Amino acid sequence: MEYKQVWRFYVDRGQREFVAGQTVQLSPDEAHYAAAVLRLAAGEQVELADGMGWTASAVLERVEKKFVSAVIHECTLHATPARRVVALVGVTKPGALDEIIQVCVEAGVAELILCKADKTTSRQEIKLEKVMRQVGEICRITKSPWSMRVVCAESFLSAFEKVHGQYNVNKVLICDERPAHTLERVSENTTHLLEESRAFAAGDLLFAVGPEASFSSVEYEFFLKEERAGRAKFVSLGPRILRTPAAVAAAAYLLSACVESKPL
């Protein structure tokens, strides 16, 4: 049996309630993608989504150069996840940032907070509109009913205050590379991220990863203060020093597994 790709298209529902049998017109950008890029034809099965938990199976009704519509067959409203994974990441160089966005979406991270860290070397302004287009394209492939939210913070310090006020979080897990340095064993007994995350049976899981040059001494002092206050915890990702995108990927996939797996 030949595998047939079912393509996804995004619609802005707003406050509307779409129902089976209703005809939906795609936006100009989505219509162009369907007609000019994918060259789909009327009668093909597609999926519609809004990135907020709503999806629907549909069939293309009209496919023209600047006009594409689809008839909804069945709608599904997915329940809001009981737990979420949130990433706080120091702003990196553009190429590395693209990797981080991709792995976070693929791993099911709910929100990516890009922090302007003390040791951030990139001076390129982050264009959130472009970033969200990247997120949307990756979501087409992953077929997640939820789109990842991306925001920017002026520092890790301001990001901490934001997440503690917005999420049901026990502690922010600081992914620390110091145990991997042979000449600086400051955190030799640091708990591994996986072991630490298992201690939290409920609540959202938040982790922080520094930019390419890691955290500054000021940021370390802030994290140590937060750890003493019980709001943060230094954790290890293993005996190796990872690039920022690799560290984000390791943490995101481990924590997503903790959130999505069923308890024993």
Side-chain angles (χ1 to χ4, degrees):
M1 183 177 179
E2 183 181 357
Y3 171 75
K4 181 67 175 177
Q5 174 78 42
V6 177
W7 293 99
R8 166 180 283 193
F9 298 95
Y10 285 93
V11 296
D12 182 7
R13 288 198 309 141
Q15 300 299 318
R16 293 174 294 175
E17 291 292 336
F18 290 144
V19 296
Q22 187 172 349
T23 298
V24 177
Q25 181 179 339
L26 301 187
S27 68
D29 287 343
E30 294 292 273
H32 173 79
Y33 188 68
V37 179
L38 298 178
R39 297 185 182 278
L40 300 180
E44 295 204 48
Q45 184 176 349
V46 296
E47 180 185 59
L48 305 180
D50 67 350
M52 301 295 290
W54 176 88
T55 60
S57 60
V59 171
L60 293 180
E61 182 182 48
R62 288 176 57 190
V63 179
E64 300 173 3
K65 188 175 181 180
K66 296 184 179 180
F67 182 91
V68 175
S69 63
V71 178
I72 295 175
H73 275 192
E74 183 178 4
C75 300
T76 302
L77 190 60
H78 301 263
T80 303
R83 305 176 70 191
R84 295 168 290 184
V85 175
V86 179
L88 283 67
V89 181
V91 174
T92 59
K93 296 176 182 178
L97 181 58
D98 290 342
E99 289 185 64
I100 289 168
I101 293 168
Q102 179 158 342
V103 298
C104 283
V105 175
E106 292 177 342
V109 170
E111 182 167 327
L112 170 60
I113 303 175
L114 297 171
C115 308
K116 296 180 181 178
D118 292 346
K119 289 189 176 182
T120 292
T121 57
S122 174
R123 295 294 176 261
Q124 183 171 338
E125 182 182 356
I126 296 175
K127 298 180 179 179
L128 284 180
E129 184 178 349
K130 176 184 175 182
V131 170
M132 292 313 298
R133 282 200 300 269
Q134 288 178 266
V135 171
E137 289 305 312
I138 301 168
C139 283
R140 285 190 199 275
I141 300 171
T142 65
K143 293 298 183 74
S144 169
W146 303 93
S147 178
M148 182 178 73
R149 187 165 177 258
V150 182
V151 297
C152 293
E154 287 301 317
S155 66
F156 277 108
L157 286 66
S158 62
F160 257 68
E161 296 305 320
K162 170 184 171 61
V163 297
H164 277 288
Q166 183 175 342
Y167 289 92
N168 175 26
V169 54
N170 295 290
K171 299 176 182 177
V172 176
L173 304 173
I174 311 297
C175 299
D176 185 15
E177 68 180 11
R178 289 179 296 171
H181 286 279
T182 56
L183 298 180
E184 186 183 2
R185 301 218 174 253
V186 181
S187 304
E188 197 166 32
N189 298 319
T190 303
T191 307
H192 193 279
L193 172 68
L194 181 58
E195 183 180 348
E196 184 66 28
S197 63
R198 285 172 175 166
F200 304 128
D204 300 321
L205 293 175
L206 282 73
F207 70 92
V209 173
E212 291 94 338
S214 192
F215 302 112
S216 70
S217 58
V218 173
E219 288 166 339
Y220 267 122
E221 287 301 318
F222 171 76
F223 295 146
L224 288 170
K225 178 182 176 182
E226 292 293 303
E227 187 174 44
R228 289 191 293 269
R231 303 206 319 164
K233 174 68 177 178
F234 280 100
V235 295
S236 169
L237 291 173
R240 294 163 296 280
I241 298 176
L242 304 176
R243 297 180 307 118
T244 297
V248 172
Y253 281 111
L254 282 174
L255 295 183
S256 292
C258 292
V259 166
E260 294 170 357
S261 59
K262 296 180 180 179
L264 299 176

mmCIF file of all heavy atoms in Angstrom, residues 32-53:
data_model
loop_
_atom_site.group_PDB
_atom_site.id
_atom_site.type_symbol
_atom_site.label_atom_id
_atom_site.label_comp_id
_atom_site.label_asym_id
_atom_site.label_seq_id
_atom_site.Cartn_x
_atom_site.Cartn_y
_atom_site.Cartn_z
ATOM 1 N N HIS A 32 -1.284 29.681 -1.489
ATOM 2 C CA HIS A 32 -0.128 29.623 -2.390
ATOM 3 C C HIS A 32 0.662 28.343 -2.153
ATOM 4 O O HIS A 32 1.114 27.686 -3.103
ATOM 5 C CB HIS A 32 0.764 30.843 -2.169
ATOM 6 C CG HIS A 32 2.063 30.776 -2.925
ATOM 7 N ND1 HIS A 32 2.153 31.059 -4.265
ATOM 8 C CD2 HIS A 32 3.321 30.435 -2.514
ATOM 9 C CE1 HIS A 32 3.409 30.909 -4.661
ATOM 10 N NE2 HIS A 32 4.139 30.532 -3.618
ATOM 11 N N TYR A 33 0.837 27.986 -0.874
ATOM 12 C CA TYR A 33 1.592 26.780 -0.542
ATOM 13 C C TYR A 33 0.889 25.540 -1.095
ATOM 14 O O TYR A 33 1.529 24.628 -1.624
ATOM 15 C CB TYR A 33 1.740 26.674 0.979
ATOM 16 C CG TYR A 33 2.657 25.565 1.432
ATOM 17 C CD1 TYR A 33 4.023 25.626 1.193
ATOM 18 C CD2 TYR A 33 2.149 24.457 2.096
ATOM 19 C CE1 TYR A 33 4.866 24.609 1.609
ATOM 20 C CE2 TYR A 33 2.983 23.437 2.514
ATOM 21 C CZ TYR A 33 4.343 23.521 2.267
ATOM 22 O OH TYR A 33 5.175 22.502 2.669
ATOM 23 N N ALA A 34 -0.438 25.511 -0.977
ATOM 24 C CA ALA A 34 -1.194 24.344 -1.447
ATOM 25 C C ALA A 34 -1.216 24.251 -2.965
ATOM 26 O O ALA A 34 -0.998 23.170 -3.537
ATOM 27 C CB ALA A 34 -2.627 24.402 -0.912
ATOM 28 N N ALA A 35 -1.459 25.376 -3.632
ATOM 29 C CA ALA A 35 -1.644 25.354 -5.081
ATOM 30 C C ALA A 35 -0.340 25.424 -5.861
ATOM 31 O O ALA A 35 -0.135 24.655 -6.815
ATOM 32 C CB ALA A 35 -2.553 26.511 -5.490
ATOM 33 N N ALA A 36 0.556 26.332 -5.467
ATOM 34 C CA ALA A 36 1.767 26.561 -6.256
ATOM 35 C C ALA A 36 2.953 25.710 -5.822
ATOM 36 O O ALA A 36 3.753 25.295 -6.655
ATOM 37 C CB ALA A 36 2.141 28.043 -6.198
ATOM 38 N N VAL A 37 3.079 25.471 -4.508
ATOM 39 C CA VAL A 37 4.233 24.714 -4.008
ATOM 40 C C VAL A 37 3.960 23.210 -4.030
ATOM 41 O O VAL A 37 4.717 22.436 -4.622
ATOM 42 C CB VAL A 37 4.612 25.171 -2.585
ATOM 43 C CG1 VAL A 37 5.802 24.349 -2.067
ATOM 44 C CG2 VAL A 37 4.945 26.655 -2.574
ATOM 45 N N LEU A 38 2.871 22.797 -3.401
ATOM 46 C CA LEU A 38 2.556 21.363 -3.331
ATOM 47 C C LEU A 38 1.795 20.870 -4.557
ATOM 48 O O LEU A 38 1.731 19.663 -4.808
ATOM 49 C CB LEU A 38 1.734 21.075 -2.067
ATOM 50 C CG LEU A 38 2.433 21.395 -0.740
ATOM 51 C CD1 LEU A 38 1.490 21.106 0.425
ATOM 52 C CD2 LEU A 38 3.720 20.593 -0.583
ATOM 53 N N ARG A 39 1.179 21.801 -5.281
ATOM 54 C CA ARG A 39 0.389 21.466 -6.480
ATOM 55 C C ARG A 39 -0.702 20.430 -6.176
ATOM 56 O O ARG A 39 -0.889 19.452 -6.898
ATOM 57 C CB ARG A 39 1.313 20.957 -7.594
ATOM 58 C CG ARG A 39 2.318 21.995 -8.053
ATOM 59 C CD ARG A 39 3.137 21.504 -9.225
ATOM 60 N NE ARG A 39 4.122 22.488 -9.631
ATOM 61 C CZ ARG A 39 3.902 23.534 -10.417
ATOM 62 N NH1 ARG A 39 2.689 23.725 -10.899
ATOM 63 N NH2 ARG A 39 4.866 24.371 -10.740
ATOM 64 N N LEU A 40 -1.413 20.686 -5.086
ATOM 65 C CA LEU A 40 -2.509 19.795 -4.732
ATOM 66 C C LEU A 40 -3.719 20.067 -5.619
ATOM 67 O O LEU A 40 -3.851 21.141 -6.208
ATOM 68 C CB LEU A 40 -2.887 19.986 -3.258
ATOM 69 C CG LEU A 40 -1.774 19.700 -2.234
ATOM 70 C CD1 LEU A 40 -2.286 19.924 -0.825
ATOM 71 C CD2 LEU A 40 -1.232 18.285 -2.390
ATOM 72 N N ALA A 41 -4.607 19.091 -5.677
ATOM 73 C CA ALA A 41 -5.801 19.219 -6.517
ATOM 74 C C ALA A 41 -7.056 19.055 -5.677
ATOM 75 O O ALA A 41 -7.020 18.512 -4.559
ATOM 76 C CB ALA A 41 -5.769 18.160 -7.624
ATOM 77 N N ALA A 42 -8.169 19.525 -6.207
ATOM 78 C CA ALA A 42 -9.453 19.357 -5.517
ATOM 79 C C ALA A 42 -9.712 17.871 -5.290
ATOM 80 O O ALA A 42 -9.396 17.025 -6.122
ATOM 81 C CB ALA A 42 -10.567 19.970 -6.339
ATOM 82 N N GLY A 43 -10.272 17.567 -4.121
ATOM 83 C CA GLY A 43 -10.572 16.178 -3.787
ATOM 84 C C GLY A 43 -9.524 15.520 -2.899
ATOM 85 O O GLY A 43 -9.762 14.425 -2.378
ATOM 86 N N GLU A 44 -8.372 16.187 -2.709
ATOM 87 C CA GLU A 44 -7.325 15.597 -1.873
ATOM 88 C C GLU A 44 -7.621 15.844 -0.397
ATOM 89 O O GLU A 44 -8.111 16.904 -0.003
ATOM 90 C CB GLU A 44 -5.955 16.162 -2.241
ATOM 91 C CG GLU A 44 -5.510 15.796 -3.644
ATOM 92 C CD GLU A 44 -4.003 15.835 -3.782
ATOM 93 O OE1 GLU A 44 -3.313 15.272 -2.918
ATOM 94 O OE2 GLU A 44 -3.525 16.417 -4.774
ATOM 95 N N GLN A 45 -7.288 14.844 0.426
ATOM 96 C CA GLN A 45 -7.511 14.951 1.864
ATOM 97 C C GLN A 45 -6.388 15.757 2.495
ATOM 98 O O GLN A 45 -5.215 15.570 2.171
ATOM 99 C CB GLN A 45 -7.576 13.561 2.508
ATOM 100 C CG GLN A 45 -7.898 13.601 3.999
ATOM 101 C CD GLN A 45 -8.037 12.207 4.573
ATOM 102 O OE1 GLN A 45 -8.100 11.231 3.843
ATOM 103 N NE2 GLN A 45 -8.076 12.114 5.899
ATOM 104 N N VAL A 46 -6.753 16.667 3.398
ATOM 105 C CA VAL A 46 -5.775 17.504 4.089
ATOM 106 C C VAL A 46 -6.155 17.586 5.569
ATOM 107 O O VAL A 46 -7.201 17.077 5.989
ATOM 108 C CB VAL A 46 -5.717 18.928 3.490
ATOM 109 C CG1 VAL A 46 -5.225 18.888 2.056
ATOM 110 C CG2 VAL A 46 -7.080 19.613 3.589
ATOM 111 N N GLU A 47 -5.304 18.228 6.331
ATOM 112 C CA GLU A 47 -5.583 18.481 7.737
ATOM 113 C C GLU A 47 -5.532 19.983 7.980
ATOM 114 O O GLU A 47 -4.652 20.667 7.454
ATOM 115 C CB GLU A 47 -4.558 17.782 8.630
ATOM 116 C CG GLU A 47 -4.808 18.009 10.119
ATOM 117 C CD GLU A 47 -3.732 17.416 10.996
ATOM 118 O OE1 GLU A 47 -2.561 17.823 10.830
ATOM 119 O OE2 GLU A 47 -4.045 16.558 11.833
ATOM 120 N N LEU A 48 -6.460 20.497 8.759
ATOM 121 C CA LEU A 48 -6.477 21.898 9.157
ATOM 122 C C LEU A 48 -6.124 21.987 10.641
ATOM 123 O O LEU A 48 -6.429 21.077 11.412
ATOM 124 C CB LEU A 48 -7.852 22.524 8.911
ATOM 125 C CG LEU A 48 -8.413 22.420 7.483
ATOM 126 C CD1 LEU A 48 -9.787 23.079 7.419
ATOM 127 C CD2 LEU A 48 -7.459 23.043 6.472
ATOM 128 N N ALA A 49 -5.486 23.065 11.039
ATOM 129 C CA ALA A 49 -5.113 23.242 12.444
ATOM 130 C C ALA A 49 -5.003 24.728 12.738
ATOM 131 O O ALA A 49 -4.796 25.550 11.836
ATOM 132 C CB ALA A 49 -3.795 22.537 12.742
ATOM 133 N N ASP A 50 -5.133 25.076 14.030
ATOM 134 C CA ASP A 50 -4.977 26.478 14.419
ATOM 135 C C ASP A 50 -3.790 26.688 15.350
ATOM 136 O O ASP A 50 -3.516 27.811 15.766
ATOM 137 C CB ASP A 50 -6.262 27.007 15.077
ATOM 138 C CG ASP A 50 -6.553 26.362 16.430
ATOM 139 O OD1 ASP A 50 -5.884 25.370 16.795
ATOM 140 O OD2 ASP A 50 -7.466 26.856 17.132
ATOM 141 N N GLY A 51 -3.065 25.597 15.702
ATOM 142 C CA GLY A 51 -1.923 25.712 16.589
ATOM 143 C C GLY A 51 -2.285 25.891 18.044
ATOM 144 O O GLY A 51 -1.428 26.031 18.908
ATOM 145 N N MET A 52 -3.574 25.862 18.357
ATOM 146 C CA MET A 52 -4.059 26.068 19.721
ATOM 147 C C MET A 52 -4.836 24.854 20.230
ATOM 148 O O MET A 52 -5.668 24.968 21.129
ATOM 149 C CB MET A 52 -4.948 27.303 19.778
ATOM 150 C CG MET A 52 -4.255 28.584 19.344
ATOM 151 S SD MET A 52 -2.926 29.059 20.454
ATOM 152 C CE MET A 52 -3.884 29.554 21.881
ATOM 153 N N GLY A 53 -4.620 23.691 19.624
ATOM 154 C CA GLY A 53 -5.264 22.475 20.084
ATOM 155 C C GLY A 53 -6.412 21.994 19.225
ATOM 156 O O GLY A 53 -6.975 20.936 19.490
#
